[in-house]
Amino acid sequence: MRLKTATLLLLGLVSAAQGASGRIGLYGTVRESEAETVAYIQKCRESGVGTLLPSLSGGGTVVWKTDKAQYYPSLKEKLDGGYDALECLIRHAHAAGIKVIPSVAIGPGGLILEKHPEWETRDRNGEPSGKTTTASITFAYLEARAAKIALLMDLVRGYDVDGVLLDYCRYPENGKTPEAKSGFYGYDAPFLDRCKSEYGFDPRVVPLDSEEWKKFNRMRIESVSAFVREFRDATRASGKTIQIAGFGDTDPDLEAQTCARDWAGWGRAGLIDDFYLATYVEQGEKLNAVTERARKALGPKVRLHAALTPFNNFVKTNDQMVDHAQRLLASGAEELWVYRDDYLEKLDLWAGVKSANELVNAKPKP
């Protein structure tokens, strides 16, 4: 493997000199100054990064200019001083031939819930989600979905983004207690009323995964998928052509059951162009198996991006980066992405990114 890695690294140096296109995605953040941004973009370009996936939201705050959410507090002073971190990142990335597809957490409510607390999703005990986890919107109300889409459209219209990655596009899940791990949120008035009037049961008291509960869960799933469809429609109506990307963990059936994120259904219905698979903790043959399953579940029209994961030291060496890249590409992934840039820097795995880029470029396109 060391000889193979050395060969790939040499190929990477040659191709970089010849201007080989970057194909790897990199999840990370914006930078706090233009000088830091320039240095970061240069390193990305040299390593074969073709798409940046900056995380632009958390807990309801965002990193784009809008009157519909609070701007990220630690960067607000810089924005007020004239430094728009996202605009700067996009400008320098595009100059280097790198796309920018921001990652946006959909569920957290922020200012939307401050104005409309009735749109906060409820748990199985009837409590608002903020009591046990992040205060999140329910997808049960058309108006709540529309408010979140309006926030996203400020990003789409206000910045030259190449796409949007829909992260946390689901109902919450919470591993702090056994009862909250699966199917614990989304018990909202429209669903409760429908279950009682059409089916004659209360989903808060029937056993999880019973036939009755599955009818309720289908409502949750359909409401999240409705959001994805409505956002796609809004981007098309705006006249801007961008990529719509989904994100999810590796078991599509479990995702649908626990948090109503039916990413496989999104793919088959043509609601997303790309899917970013969270191959975080898997190692060895399991990497192959989950990637093959995702490729089959999504259907043929969606580009599958599988993750190389320095985060939390899941991948610690350049040799491991190459091994994982080979496995993922051999199992059906068309593209690769790296999670996250802070651990990539910490472990100094930029050479592994360059090698993985060579593997992606060498794979025949369908």
Side-chain angles (χ1 to χ4, degrees), residues 57-58 102 115 145 152 188 203 227 238 255-256 275 290 321 325 328:
S57 61
K115 293 182 176 180
R145 301 195 303 265
L152 291 181
D188 303 312
F227 174 88
S238 74
E255 285 269 276
F275 181 69
V290 298
M321 290 278 279
L328 296 168

Side-chain angles (χ1 to χ4, degrees), residues 283 308 313-325:
Q283 300 285 334
L308 303 170
N313 297 334
F314 291 134
V315 175
K316 295 182 285 188
T317 68
N318 288 313
D319 283 345
Q320 283 182 305
M321 290 278 279
V322 172
D323 175 61
H324 281 212

Side-chain angles (χ1 to χ4, degrees), residues 14 82 108 140 179 196 201 267 272 279 307 323:
V14 173
E179 69 171 351
K196 292 173 183 177
F201 71 89
I272 55 175
T279 41
D323 175 61

Side-chain angles (χ1 to χ4, degrees), residues 43-119:
K43 190 173 289 189
C44 289
R45 187 191 64 78
E46 292 173 350
S47 301
V49 173
T51 301
L52 290 174
L53 307 161
S55 176
L56 297 188
S57 61
T61 61
V62 303
V63 190
W64 66 88
K65 290 185 285 188
T66 177
D67 61 356
K68 300 175 183 64
Q70 181 185 2
Y71 195 83
Y72 197 66
S74 68
L75 289 171
K76 184 63 167 62
E77 185 175 344
K78 293 181 180 295
L79 180 68
D80 292 342
Y83 174 67
D84 186 328
L86 176 58
E87 183 280 329
C88 183
L89 182 76
I90 293 171
R91 175 161 39 89
H92 287 288
H94 283 177
I98 298 173
K99 293 181 179 180
V100 180
I101 300 179
S103 171
V104 180
I106 303 303
L111 187 59
I112 291 174
L113 290 185
E114 289 182 25
K115 293 182 176 180
H116 293 279
E118 71 275 16
W119 291 346

